[in-house]
Amino acid sequence: MTQMIDVLIVGGGGAGLRAAIAVAEADPELKVAVVSKVYPMRSHTVSAEGGAAAVIGVGDTLDEHCYDTISGGDWLCDQDAVEAFVAEAPKELIQLEHWGCPWSREGDGRVAVRPFGGMKKMRTWYAADKTGFHLLHTLFQTSLKYQDLIRYDEWYVTKLVVDDGRVHGVVAVELRTGRIETIAARSVILATGGCGRVFPFTTNAAIKTGDGMALAYRAGAPLKDMEFVQYHPTGLPFTGILITEAARAEGGWLINKDGYRYLQDYDLGRPTPTPRLRSMELGPRDRLSQAFVHEQHKGRTVDTPYGPVVYLDLRHLGEEKIDTRIPFVRELCRSYQNLDPATELIPVRPVVHYMMGGVHTDLDGATPIAGLFAAGETACVSINGANRLGSNSLPECLVFGRRAGLAAAGFARSHRDGEAPAVRSQGGDERRRLERAREGGGTGERIAGLREEMQHTLEGAAGIYRTGDALAKAVDTLAELGERAAEARVDDASATFNTELINLLELHTMLEVARTIVACALNRQESRGAHQRTDFTARDDAAYLAHSLVHRAPDGTPSVGLLPVTITRWPPGERVYGRE
Amino acid sequence: MTGVSAYRAPRDRLWFARSRRYALFVLRELTSVLVAWSVVFLGMLVDALRGGAFQEFAALAARPWMIALNVLALAATVYHAVTFLNLAPKATVVRLDGWRVPAWMIQGGNHSAWMVISVLIAYFVLRSP
Amino acid sequence: MEVARYRPGEDDEPVVQGYDVPLKPDWAVLDGLNHIKDQLDGSLSYRWSCRMGVCGSCGMTVNGEPRLTCGTFLTEYGDGPIRIEPLKGFPVIRDLVVDIDGFLAKLSSVRPWLVREGEEPPLTTEYAQTPEQLEAYKQYSMCINCLLCYSACPVYVLDPDFLGPAAIALAQRYGLDSRDMDDRFDVLNQEDAVWGCTFVGECTRACPKHVDPAEAIQRYKLTAALRSVLPWSRR
Amino acid sequence: MRRRLEPYLWLLFSGGGVVAALVLPVLVLLFGVLMPLGVVDWPAAGHLSALTGSVLVRLALLVVAVLCLFHAAHRVRFTSEELLGIARYDVLVAVVCYGGAVVGGIAAGFILF
Ligand SMILES: Cc1cc2nc3c(=O)[nH]c(=O)nc-3n(C[C@H](O)[C@H](O)[C@H](O)COP(=O)(O)OP(=O)(O)OC[C@H]3O[C@@H](n4cnc5c(N)ncnc54)[C@H](O)[C@@H]3O)c2cc1C
Ligand code: SF4
Ligand code: F3S
Ligand code: FES
């Protein structure tokens, strides 16, 4: 048993670290701890490339950023959340500048901005094309300033201790020693990132297994809008490595096998030689990925061993622009695809990228469980609606990371009671469960095989286009996979750095999350944003201008309900791109 | 926190033999021994000059083992000069108007200076009176 | 692939285990390890995450050289075998996993954050910084903490107390930032810090992100020396 | 104490490195190789004496000698520590190395003046 923590943050990515600093700054008296399954600077925020959106430029207004976000999200965003987000994002990015983030600059020393998909104005701040990397390292290094901040690096959280509707701490395994500890805490913030790894082909790192979503869901908190999974239109085949949207923002074209800029056929505007905002290649990601599927059906994609591709053409940008604005794109193409984008076409295909849904929270990151908060990709405050705009997610991590931090600090200050009895009893149960998992060994199939089966089930049923039949079948497949996973084989009985045990626990969380994705997708009988049903092709505001809210029923199955969307000033309208 | 059972590799006594580049590095550092010898040798020369024992010195210098040693010393000092002048731009980053002078220019400058100085010295030494 | 295994409690020192891995043209060494873990032997332990060369977790010794395994391809080594060992110079926790807490402590010690004096300005304006001023430290900000440079540096491998290339480069990253007001002289002007480096230069060669830590160190030596000779000059 | 010395030692080392690089190769080439081999003739002793006659030249030679010796001492100190693993005796090694350089420098002074 360890000391009582006031604010325990699960996750050391952008959202988690921002929350930690917010608490440390607000009240140095509070004990803050960050638990992370990887060293914080390895968190997946590090991979974000393109940029972070916030209004600073002249001629841009907060309302326009709101409108772009809301229309981009197909009116499923909570508009009060979007307004709060848009208003605070500039402050957060400036705060980061004050902490040393190396934002790219204009000649006169101001921070530079670039255009981005679905945004009507240039408002995306960037640090070349390693924005997330610089953001994360700036946050991490700044967090080192707070020497009282406790870090549990390479600890894997397996369970939330919840009793009587209130959170009391977490159970976690220390990877290095295999020690299983219960960490008592007055408040807990989940900032564990997304769950792209439930799909076979994703830009997401190996650690993105939806742990936080599953932790909250198992503890009784609902998940929201889980059917909305973003496909990014430009991933490299085989690896799924992302070619950032910035490549298109700087003027890159998407062309099919005939060298034709096919987006013009899908109501995204007319091709122009230089990029036009909210048009063609700078349309929103859902529409671009859907256009790819249509091209594929028309036989205008190119077949490769790793599936059909189209091409991203950067050749006309010239070497110099590529090297100054998007050097990492060139580096990635060279090392992972063995080609030079200055002279060659980049093969790309849509790839699972981001989870719009997540743990249901209010504007302060609070979940329905007292003392439990969530922020970042793992949460669904609902600023992203049915489709997130590129470069909104990093500022989301900052804005709501800070908000959740402050709210959790407030909660911890007003709940000064000691350790609850549940900590000891639930902690003991969980320890025994984990020890069994480690020592029992399991006799069944390999983890990797089950994982692949789950991933392909999801891709088949909950990909860019979905049908009721396939989804219904996937519900059964996943339930059956869950039973088989309970028997999965574990070779490794060692306590020290047992990654196989972690893989197994991650498989369980992914299956949990996968079932909610499929259940929500099955329930939503309309097409909206990233959720496209071929059996219900139209948007249906009368029935579904509402969030999906999914609870875990006592038998473990997901039970889906609806929750109204908050509309403040922007009544639902048509999504128009490429037309004035 | 360090686990009790973490494995620490024992000291590798032959680390410098593990890769060609480590060996080149050690070689570079060892040139210093011959640099010191060169100074000693030149000191002997000056001493001989001032003590009027120039002929004896010349005879000593012409011994085969002495020549061999000095050929080695020559190789070492040249290797030293090349590596040292090449590495100099690492410590001195020169910026003009925010434009960073590329390393090869500094290196080129260093090597030119080396040549000029060498020629000058040779000229003064060999110039007939 | 020949992989060094170390199971504390079972092995007294690392032992090499061979695995047959198909030689696919697209596969990185990391894909080979994943193949082993997924298909052949689930008990092999190593770190990885982003598989795009930016998270810094997959550094290992590949055929004697420190490399990022996600960016090193099987085809570089012909028909093999390829020998995979943990990064040299660090205590081995298990298999290919090494203990890097020492580095994190060193990193904290160089104050890797922007040091300012006086009030922080309001969150409405940024500090101005021209592209040239950004360029002055940008390179040193690219470090992904992969620690290949430590593993390549004989000084560090012989003496783990040496502050080492990446930590010094990151100190310089802040020191040369036009917005920073600290020179970190107290921590860098130490025998175990910049003066421990004998300019082997291998750190720079090993660095996958072209940070050039060797340069960062030599530059600080000059800074520190000038500051010592001219005590009134700050930076 | 050592900490405050280190920057000065490094300055001497670097200065010595530059001087050694610029002047030693040609001198060794001439006096150590070409002349003994008879490729070029030995200049007259008088000419050389005249060259070293000027106080300025002798001062310069002294500086060259001292710097080069320091350079060598510094490198020998670190290299021996790295090669032989005797870093824990650093103080002793340093005294021996730099001491050698100082002695050499004094000897050079005696020879020249
Ligand atoms: C390739 C790529 C490019 C992107 N580019 C952009 C962009 O240009 N602009 C933009 O706005 N967004 C971008 N995004 C999205 C954005 O990067 C992410 O949504 C965001 O970084 C998520 O941050 P996070 O803090 O929520 O989670 P993460 O950074 O993923 O951090 C999760 C943390 O949780 C910890 N954790 C997870 N599970 C556990 C557990 N069980 N126990 C303990 N710890 C745990 C992990 O160790 C980690 O520290 C991109 C995403 C990808 C994949
Ligand atoms: S300096 Fe280079 S090699 Fe060293 S840790 Fe940083 S990125 Fe890795
Ligand atoms: S390899 Fe080591 S000795 Fe210095 S130049 Fe690099 S730190
Ligand atoms: S896996 Fe992230 S750097 Fe290799």
Side-chain angles (χ1 to χ4, degrees), chain B residues 42-88:
Chain B
L42 295 170
M44 282 156 59
L45 166 64
V46 175
D47 189 37
L49 274 177
R50 299 177 66 86
F54 188 57
Q55 290 314 320
E56 289 87 327
F57 175 82
L60 175 69
R63 297 259 178 86
W65 63 268
M66 201 59 169
I67 293 180
L69 183 59
N70 278 326
V71 168
L72 265 185
L74 175 64
T77 47
V78 169
Y79 186 58
H80 162 79
V82 172
T83 51
F84 206 87
L85 297 178
N86 274 342
L87 291 176

Side-chain angles (χ1 to χ4, degrees), chain C residues 27-206:
Chain C
W27 273 19
V29 171
L30 179 62
D31 294 306
L33 291 173
N34 283 341
H35 174 82
I36 297 174
K37 181 152 188 87
D38 288 349
Q39 312 298 337
L40 308 174
D41 182 351
S43 72
L44 179 67
S45 271
Y46 50 95
R47 293 189 180 108
W48 69 288
S49 181
C50 70
R51 53 90 186 80
M52 57 192 278
V54 64
C55 75
S57 44
C58 69
M60 296 169 210
T61 305
V62 181
N63 272 6
E65 305 261 338
R67 301 294 286 262
L68 288 182
T69 47
C70 69
T72 304
F73 290 84
L74 293 176
T75 43
E76 269 182 52
Y77 301 93
D79 291 337
I82 306 176
R83 183 183 281 256
I84 322 285
E85 292 157 308
L87 279 182
K88 272 183 281 188
F90 296 89
V92 183
I93 297 176
R94 158 97 191 257
D95 295 348
L96 301 167
V97 179
V98 295
D99 180 357
I100 64 166
D101 282 354
F103 167 73
L104 275 123
K106 286 175 186 164
L107 180 62
S108 308
S109 78
V110 302
R111 297 193 291 280
W113 52 79
L114 209 63
V115 177
R116 301 280 305 182
E117 282 151 24
E119 248 350 63
E120 202 193 318
L123 294 179
T124 44
T125 42
E126 66 264 32
Y127 301 126
Q129 180 166 70
T130 62
E132 290 78 34
Q133 290 171 324
L134 173 65
E135 209 42 54
Y137 69 88
K138 177 93 195 183
Q139 181 187 8
Y140 303 139
S141 74
M142 303 304 274
C143 170
I144 61 173
N145 301 355
C146 65
L147 306 187
L148 301 193
C149 52
Y150 282 75
S151 199
C153 171
V155 174
Y156 171 73
V157 174
L158 295 173
D159 171 18
D161 292 332
F162 173 41
L163 185 57
I168 300 176
L170 281 161
Q172 283 279 56
R173 172 252 174 275
Y174 284 95
L176 297 171
D177 189 322
S178 57
R179 299 167 291 181
D180 187 86
M181 296 177 170
D182 189 359
D183 60 6
R184 295 169 179 78
F185 185 70
D186 55 333
V187 277
L188 295 184
N189 183 40
Q190 295 281 355
E191 239 181 303
D192 277 341
V194 295
W195 304 118
C197 161
T198 49
F199 204 174
V200 180
E202 281 302 300
C203 49
T204 289
R205 260 193 57 97

Side-chain angles (χ1 to χ4, degrees), chain A residues 174 176 179 496, chain B residues 1-3 5:
Chain A
E174 184 184 31
R176 173 185 304 203
R179 202 150 51 103
T496 315
Chain B
M1 224 178 346
T2 307
S5 47

Side-chain angles (χ1 to χ4, degrees), chain B residues 84-95:
Chain B
F84 206 87
L85 297 178
N86 274 342
L87 291 176
K90 290 284 183 198
T92 45
V93 168
V94 184
R95 275 173 198 282

Side-chain angles (χ1 to χ4, degrees), chain A residues 171-284:
Chain A
V171 182
V173 194
E174 184 184 31
L175 260 73
R176 173 185 304 203
T177 58
R179 202 150 51 103
I180 300 160
E181 281 272 6
T182 309
I183 309 172
R186 298 198 163 94
S187 66
V188 173
I189 303 176
L190 295 171
T192 53
C195 60
R197 284 274 155 178
V198 300
F199 286 83
F201 185 60
T202 174
T203 59
N204 285 194
I207 57 171
K208 303 209 62 167
T209 50
D211 298 351
M213 299 175 189
L215 289 172
Y217 179 65
R218 285 183 192 143
L223 305 183
K224 189 162 70 188
D225 291 341
M226 294 300 286
E227 65 274 41
F228 296 101
V229 178
Q230 178 165 77
Y231 274 79
H232 193 293
T234 57
L236 292 180
F238 179 53
T239 53
I241 289 174
L242 179 79
I243 298 302
T244 169
E245 194 158 287
R248 281 171 282 131
E250 297 296 343
W253 297 331
L254 279 171
I255 57 177
N256 64 17
K257 77 169 189 208
D258 308 320
Y260 173 69
R261 289 175 72 185
Y262 60 90
L263 292 177
Q264 55 189 292
D265 297 356
Y266 302 96
D267 196 19
L268 283 159
R270 306 291 318 155
T272 47
T274 49
R276 254 185 68 213
L277 297 159
R278 273 178 75 108
S279 154
M280 288 295 291
E281 282 82 3
L282 288 183

Side-chain angles (χ1 to χ4, degrees), chain D residues 33-68:
Chain D
V33 180
L34 295 184
M35 291 174 191
L37 282 178
V39 179
V40 290
D41 293 333
W42 286 101
H47 168 61
L48 288 180
S49 301
L51 263 185
T52 52
S54 130
V55 179
L56 272 182
V57 171
R58 275 188 284 156
L59 259 183
L61 282 178
L62 181 63
V63 170
V64 167
V66 168
L67 283 179
C68 290

